[in-house]
Amino acid sequence: MPEFEPRIVAFVCNWCTYAGADLTGTSRIKYSPNVEVIRFPCTGRIDFMLLLKAFAEGADGIIVSGCHPNDCHYTSGNFHARRRWILFRGLLDFMGIDVRRVQFSWVSAAEGAKWADVVNTTVEAVRKLGPYDNYRQIARSGGV
Amino acid sequence: MSRIGVFICHCGENIGATVDCERVARACAGIPGVVHSVDYKYMCSDPGQNMIKDAIRDHNLTGVVVGACSPRMHEPTFRRACEEAGLNPFLCEMANIREHCSWVHEKSEVTTEKAIDLVRVIVEKVRRNKPLFPIKVPVTKTALVLGGGIAGIQAALDIANAGHKVIMVERSPSIGGHMSQLSETFPTLDCSQCILTPRMVEVARHPNITLHTYSEIESLDGFIGNFKVKIRKKARSVDEKLCTGCGLCTQKCPTKKIPSEFDAGLGMRSAIYVPFPQAVPNKPVIDRLHCTFFLKGKCRLCEKVCPTQAIRFDQEDTIVEADIGAVVLATGFDIKHADFFPEYGYGAYKDVIDGLQFERLASASGPTLGEIRRPSDGRKPETVVFIACAGSRDPAKGIEYCSKICCMYTAKHAMLYRHKVHGGKAYIFYMDIRAGGKMYEEFVRRAIEEDGVRYVRGRVSRVYEREGKLIVQGADTLLGAQPVEIEADMVVLATAAVANDGAEELAQKMHVSYDAYKFFAEAHPKLKPVETNTAGIFLAGACQAPKDIPESVAQASGAAAKVSALFSQDELTREPVIAVVNRCAPPLYSTCVGCFLCQAACPYQAIEKEEIRARDGNLIKTVAKVNPGLCQGCGTCVAVCRTKAIDLQGFSNEQVFAEVMALLNRSEANAGI
Amino acid sequence: MEELRKRAGNLLESGQVRVVIGYGEGTGKRVRAVFIQDAGQADCLIFDERCRQNLALYLTRHEVKKLGKPAIVASLPALRAILQLAGECQIAENDIVVLGIGEDGSMLDLPDFAAIEKHVASTVREPDPAEKAQFDLVLAMSLEERWKYWQEQLSRCFKCYACRQACPMCYCSRCTVECNQPQWIPVPSHDLGNLEWHVMRAMHLAGRCVDCGDCSRACPLDIPLYLLNRFLIMDIESRFNQRAGTTAALDYALSTFHPDDKDDFIR
Amino acid sequence: MKLGFYPGCSLEGSAREYAESVIAVAGEAGVDLEQVPDWNCCGATAAHNMNRNLSLALPARILAKAEAAGMKEIVVPCAACYNRLSVTRHELLENESLRREISATIEYDLRCDAEILNVLQMLDRHVMPAIGDKIRVPFARRVACYYGCLLVRPHKILKFDRLEDPQSMDAIIRKIGGDPLDWAFKTECCGAGLSVSATPLVGKLSGRILDDASIRGAEAVIVACPMCHSNLDMRRPHCDKAMKKHYTMPVLYITQAIGLALGIDPKTLGLHRHMVPVKFEKHPADAASARPAPPDAVKEV
Amino acid sequence: MEMETRLLKKEALAGLIEKINAAGRKIYAPVRVGDRDEFRPVDSASRIDLGCIQTTQSAKEVLFPRVERILSFSRRDGAMETADPDLSILPEVVLFGLHPCDAAAIGSLRAIFTWDTQDAFFTARLERLAVIGLSCAEADEYCFCTSVGLGPGATDGSDILLTRLASGDFLAEILTEKGRELAALSPGLFLSPPAGADKSSALAVVEASFTREQVRDRAKAGFDEDALWDGQALRCLGCGACAYVCPTCACFDIQDEGTTNRGVRLRCWDSCGFAAFTLHTSGHNPREEQGPRWRQRIMHKFSYMPERQNVFGCVGCGRCSRACPVDMNIKEHLIALLEARS
């Protein structure tokens, strides 16, 4: 049985993590291809609904990454995002949604290696958790 | 129906090596809405760009997707190409299949599959792009130069000579920075004061430059072209207009025993002082921490002797506000001090000093009037050991980088010592000599061959004092790692160049990012060395990384050129990636319910209240409105808004939603027809 | 009750207000909201422990606003809702007259928001023991059990939106549920649509819900929706020390932040 | 007050006097040192160039025995044992799979929660506060405190005192009335294990240490490690030969110095076991520019 | 087809349920859930709550589910294909314990779903449905079946109508062909009726407050009396609870879900109580306020349906009043409507 290849979507901020991921590229650091990145101007821009949409559309894991505190290009986008994730993650966990599949991180434009590490560790963690059948099942009940 | 053109780049081998570009192009041809899908070796080359322009005209495309490198690299290039072909530039987006795909994955089916996904996601985004038009924002043609060192001076002069107003703010009582503390400068050994002071005077007398010394930045708000700065002019306790700079007060001041910052602690200064003779402005400052009047309320001697009654003990800090169009950060660097090297006895033995202190000894205006004398007993040292890389290139000490300038100034110090103390023996412990600049290597060879400086390749493990002598224990790796012990009279440490303390707080105040060592972060290490990630804020000098005078001046002129380019047009066109509150037909007028929870979330205070009134004037509802000049497009308000009334152009809710759906729903297109 | 009727009557007669929103007798033992517009009917106003609906929800309805300046019979949850609505610029101090009623049924003199804030601050919110027990029960469940519990509860929902319509804080003229460009929440009431609707509802009330419990009471299928809101209320209170409905000034958890908010999951 | 105690081979062999003085001084402070039951060799510096797991398993077994006996703090006077036990504890806490592997080897699920104290830490924490007023004969001597290497290295793991210029022993000496010399050879190598294989080299290395101390007028050298003591004391003839000088300074353990200050008779402190007789002559304290004692609290990078 | 009356012993009920189950029919009946009753599939008589006055939700879900897939589409190499769901696999269903008002409601639903186009889904389910009604022995203040031309013992819509006698046994009136088929499954259980068994004595008493024709004419005349409708609807929240529990409400919304490459078309419940029900894309909303929406609910059931499909849209079950969070009691409002002279 071929090993389970999780599909993971990453919501990243343009100024830090996206640039960090670029640096991972320019430094030719290899990492697992299971993660695909969607660019946002700032983590403050990432709507919590998008995480639900990702799970509904069949993602097995989600990465949300942006600037370190005090480094945000827009000064406070990441602070607002952090508060949003503290509450949202708590609510998801309370409703039984598997927050181990959602990895939040700070990756700066200079941390190419850290981005590769965040990706690899998340892919391995989700691979161990297996496909997100619970959520896929209710998504299928959506009549698709 | 959208007519999108997809252009997949091989980027030579960078993408082609691990991604099957033809297949990606073929696959994208199958996406509904894509009418033209090709691949080419170098999309960013002129022929590549012409391919795009022709395709836009031939297929009258309504959107362009370029699958190539990072948008942070060539987005402007392709957007300009589309604009020249008559397509709104914001209908062109890039899919990053190089840094995020080909460079980081092995050549395989999966990698090509991922590339197709990434392009397909951007196609869905472009399908929902709207043509956007740059926002016109007025530009205040006044520059703020922060820091009065050689970098700040050069930048200020260049901008002022280009005919724009400059406000220079310097923290210490006089401009000049570290360069004013130097004796001679490598590689030409010309006297630092001689080449610097004319520039300082030029700054002081330049009609376009307003100089604020002994001042700091209180706050900076606004954005490129429209900054508002608050400068705190610390109370000098001297009325600058009346004071003629005669210096009587500094001579008469009874408190003389204060270690002078300018002399790096070797010389002394009085409570009311002028840092150094050629100070600009040549106006004294009262050091309120040591002045007897401020401590005990007595003395006031300076006030009595002052011929023009310029002393103002009651002077308060004043806040100066100014409108600024661009900022040049030139706040310089510092060197590692004090008890960072117990193994060298630095800070414990008087005769173990750092580079700056040696400069002061060698400087004619220094405490020893240029003679090299031991701080402990004032005798001329017969043997001096210079230790390079003291703290730099040393992960255990937490400073891994090379400070770049120490090899050169250590060679200079040894040369100066040999010139001033003929019989003296000079040893330099080094790891590698970094002399890459023009005439640098020749300078070091001259120190070795003509001035007899003994270079010992090895690190010093310990310096300890014994019977009046400083015993330097090291090794000479070129002589089979023989332990070497030198009895020296004086040891000079070329300590690491580090960021100023307070650099981190300043960076946060200026909304500029910085690296792990608190040096300010440039926008791109190779391609944008003088810009920061914050539009309108530029970098010059050692505040960005340790560098010597030629590089600082070159960078300063670079920053000045950027500022002048910015000030060359009356209006600044700004990226239209800003938030907009929706409007719709009556009776709703907007889905915004006027709760204004978004207002508190906006870091730029860009959200205002707007009253919607009927024709007869009575108020229908109050809704939010975004000021296009202030909004920087971070989108936090969009995610905070419950009713999705506010949306971000370029990253609209529909677009990001479509991107998530596209990413996770691999279509037949991926199956590769 | 007598004093309430007297004051309502005076307000109407003097023209200070055009309508008094209060409680009246309903079918059988039930109580319903009544809108008294002339002094004569003031006698059908009642107040006892059955009167629990949060009347503040009617302050933002344009059908009621059309009637003119209202006076509102406000129990404690209604007072909290009024403060939160004021904080969100939906009602101004002189738009309404508040007939505050304390927990012991006595009339309160609350001329302005400041007085309301003081009164709300002096009260202690004791959650209903049965609800507290159920909350602790769910909190103690494992992840798998919680998923099963919520799937069981939410799969019964048929999206009648009584929870939304009964909530004083859900005054949006176009709720995001009705937005179809993009279709954030699936409209049909299948499992996915229900889960996403209830997550969004809870998140949109995070830091705003005044914990009046009307959503759970309005649900015809008795789905325990208060659990979601209460979790967020306690989370916000313990982490950010913010409570909705305690001040007329804006103090919204999700649009303010503290540089060192604690988190234990961001790498 | 009961503390775990791990003597190690040298405190039962060539450094018996160190054990005697530690127990005596601890007794004065009401500290009861209870040996770790059935302790084994810590592997010292030899084990880890034979086999890494062995070099971890030996100390791990000691920790396991101590843990089983419920000991919360273990005093390890010998610097080498202190180093081996601390490094092992650190490695096992950092690496869960390694901890499981070693626990399997020694057949005990080791939690590593017992804390390892070197003699200076034990003195600081439990002895000095208790004997503050019991100093009968102030140890008014000008002495050179010699730390050796294993007490402070590897700094990232041990995090004990300052790496290049330690001060803890100096502080204790001051407390008992002594005058600690400020000198540069505090952590210079004494030749350690070469004492057997290359004794002349030890003579030269230890000789230089003694030479510097004597020039500065030290009346004695204070140590806290049996290896340092043997090289500076037992190998004294080699030092004299290498440096072509005769050094008469005695070498005392810190606990012996404290013992003397407390008035404990030299015999119980084991002073008679030293090769270099413990006699103090006054050296003219020359006018070497004494370095001002740097502030205690200065934290080093 | 003349009607036969038989007797079903109370012990025989379990046997009847078993027989129907054995015949492969899925039985739904009122079952106690917490402190309420709901229609649930049952496989043994013991779970049925015979004493239930009224379930919270009606049984319409059996004929008109809250979410129903009406077609699925997918793109195969460029061309879009659609596929209809296979209705033949729908199960045979027996609704047991349906009170006469709910049974009559099926008639109203059929009137709408077969008005001009034959709704394939509804008709397929209706064909597979058989109804064993149960007369009402008890009623509460919300019931008003007698005011809308029905009664606790009405037979319309039922295939077999059981009436529980004082002895606990059931008087079974076999009314339709389907009823006879069901009875034929277990002939032994249906005995000849005892002499003098009087059905009416076992029925609940529900006084009529008005007749549906009065309401029909009054409502039509009162269409423009905005003050009346607005006044009644002031406290209405505008939620969909009344519509979704109502056995005769049949409004639905069509939603497409999925992606441009594959997806489904779903039919789901909707309610005229919602503000967005009549919102035009232009932004105009013909029914801007809650008053007209409340009027629409009454007019549709008491005026438009009788006029167009000559069947009334309300069977007086009272569910909407029980479920309403703000106590909008329809019976009370209709009485008020009639008393307020136009």
Side-chain angles (χ1 to χ4, degrees), chain B residues 249-251 253 255-258 268-273 287:
Chain B
C249 54
T250 52
Q251 285 148 24
C253 172
T255 5
K256 293 245 189 298
K257 283 280 163 285
I258 306 160
M268 293 301 160
R269 65 162 166 82
S270 49
I272 180 165
Y273 68 102
D287 171 3

Side-chain angles (χ1 to χ4, degrees), chain D residues 205-225:
Chain D
L205 289 171
S206 295
R208 281 176 50 211
I209 296 169
L210 293 171
D211 187 54
D212 191 70
S214 69
I215 288 175
R216 292 172 197 282
E219 298 170 60
V221 178
I222 307 293
V223 293
C225 153

Side-chain angles (χ1 to χ4, degrees), chain A residues 7, chain B residues 27-28 30-32 113 116-117 120 124 661-673, chain E residues 75 259-262:
Chain A
R7 277 186 66 68
Chain B
C28 294
I31 302 171
E113 194 79 29
I116 296 172
D117 277 351
R120 204 163 34 71
E124 290 309 318
M661 300 296 275
L663 189 144
L664 290 159
N665 289 292
R666 279 187 169 159
S667 62
E668 296 76 10
N670 272 44
I673 300 135
Chain E
R75 185 190 298 275
T259 70
T260 52
N261 297 310
R262 89 193 155 287

Side-chain angles (χ1 to χ4, degrees), chain A residues 50-87:
Chain A
L50 291 176
L51 275 71
L52 287 180
K53 277 296 133 205
F55 276 138
E57 292 306 312
D60 300 306
I62 296 173
I63 296 176
V64 177
S65 179
C67 299
H68 287 260
N70 287 320
D71 284 359
C72 173
H73 176 65
Y74 305 102
T75 65
S76 61
N78 52 0
F79 287 129
H80 290 293
R82 173 166 59 184
R83 201 166 253 205
R84 185 181 309 145
W85 304 137
I86 291 175
L87 294 184

